[in-house]
Amino acid sequence: MFFPQRDGVELDKAPQDMTTVQRNKTIFFTDIQQVLKCDIFLFVLDGRVPDEGACFELGIAYTQKFLSESSKQILGLHTDIRASFLDSKLNAMIEEPFHAIFSSPKDLFIFLLE
């Protein structure tokens, strides 16, 4: 299980001697490799708007699944009722790639255990 915020290259983690450009390239290619090799891609959609980096990763995951007709599951977890506009839904370009979007961790876990 890979969590970019936990397992990726962060600004305060070694190697401290990397330049910003080197660090950004390392973050970029590490994340892409992990997205391509995962069987389940989980996007936590909480917050006012979806995270832009995660949106990019979603595009990679969906493109791989579409082009290779793989069994990769693309799942969303959206427990936060806040949104940028009252009664707003996800943008179709964000919502459509998901196999399923769950509104609670419990529902997500039940699905994964089936």
Side-chain angles (χ1 to χ4, degrees), residues 1-3 6-7 34:
M1 191 174 302
F2 177 79
F3 293 105
R6 181 192 71 193
D7 304 320
Q34 294 298 321

Side-chain angles (χ1 to χ4, degrees), residues 1-10 13 26-44 53-54 57:
M1 191 174 302
F2 177 79
F3 293 105
Q5 66 275 21
R6 181 192 71 193
D7 304 320
V9 177
E10 301 297 329
K13 291 185 181 175
T26 302
I27 289 168
F28 179 80
F29 288 110
T30 299
D31 281 7
I32 287 176
Q33 289 170 350
Q34 294 298 321
V35 168
L36 292 174
K37 78 179 198 180
C38 73
D39 296 321
I40 299 172
F41 177 85
L42 175 63
F43 189 144
V44 178
E57 294 164 347

Side-chain angles (χ1 to χ4, degrees), residues 71-86:
S71 61
K72 181 186 294 273
Q73 293 202 43
I74 301 174
L75 305 175
L77 179 62
H78 197 192
T79 65
D80 190 348
I81 61 170
R82 296 174 296 168
S84 50
F85 302 103
L86 188 61

